[in-house]
Amino acid sequence: MKRARKPSESRRPKLVTHLSGSDWVALRRFSPDLAAPRPSLVHDHASAVLYLEGSATFWMQGLYTLGPGDLLLVPPGAQHYAVSASGARALGISLSLSRVPAAARDSLAAAFDGVRRGACASRRLGREACKSLERLFLDLERELASASAVRDVAVDAYVSLVSVAILRARDGLEAANRTPSSPLVARALELVHRRASSGISLRDVAAHLARSPAHVASLVKDATGETVVGWITRARMSECRRLLGSTDESIEAVAARCGFASPSHFHRAFKRAHGVAPGAWRRAHRSS
């Protein structure tokens, strides 16, 4: 699996931490509907995410298509981003590996290190294993919120049990769907995400990858269920919404910055995607 290229200084991935102070473990809930790729992130901790509902596409050294029962491991320092999500609901644990109870620490660190070195980052759990891990996550969440005198002991115990579940998933269960053509598809989506506002086209993406437009179009469609043009439109519209909602730039300036040939072209494309004109969308979201 081809590794991510080092981003330029202007595109350096955002460093994110969910742990602070004396905390070394945290539980997170995810429920995204994502229409365009999010910026690249790098965590300073290890994360394990259990998908419970819906579907998601995730890029980390390759493209992963994830659904109910899939467990995803994200090592510390691994560049990654969410490409898309539809009705996705997930539970995730973030933890400092150096603080994991000693009995599980080395094995768990080795599992995350294996992913960092190129091993498949996802595993598909059976129904009972998925339910069991979900219960452990929820029990751990309750203990983390507790003021009990034995909170720290209970947290250590639950983290140990979660670690065992992760290790069992790594060692014996079916790998989730990582697209065989993921290096090329990931490079295509990365380019689209980076240059969507510059008027990039399918032909530009194909030229960058030294492949024919038809070949790239087929690969991306088969891997993600969306066309290259569709991904370009999603990414451009995401930037349009950001500029309309967070700046006072004119509609004409937003159109130009997002790569549209004219304000009228932008107006038609935006209304087709959102059902309202850009100005109406801005007024509604500024007043809400």
Side-chain angles (χ1 to χ4, degrees), residues 50-128:
L50 176 65
Y51 286 82
L52 301 170
E53 295 177 2
S55 62
T57 308
F58 186 90
W59 185 84
M60 183 178 66
Q61 304 181 97
L63 195 69
Y64 290 86
T65 303
L66 303 161
D70 288 337
L71 178 67
L72 179 73
L73 303 186
V74 182
Q79 183 181 345
H80 62 280
Y81 60 85
V83 177
S84 66
S86 177
R89 184 173 70 88
L91 290 172
I93 184 173
S94 300
L95 69 170
S96 171
L97 292 172
S98 65
R99 296 283 301 278
V100 171
R105 184 184 306 146
D106 290 346
S107 296
L108 192 64
F112 281 99
D113 189 57
V115 172
R116 185 181 62 80
R117 294 173 180 272
C120 186
S122 63
R123 292 289 187 273
R124 180 154 296 148
L125 277 62
R127 183 177 179 181
E128 291 306 315

Side-chain angles (χ1 to χ4, degrees), residues 141-166:
E141 184 179 48
R142 282 191 289 271
E143 289 297 339
L144 287 169
S146 168
S148 167
V150 297
R151 172 188 180 273
D152 291 347
V153 175
V155 166
D156 280 0
Y158 278 114
V159 169
S160 294
L161 291 172
V162 167
S163 299
V164 169
I166 291 172

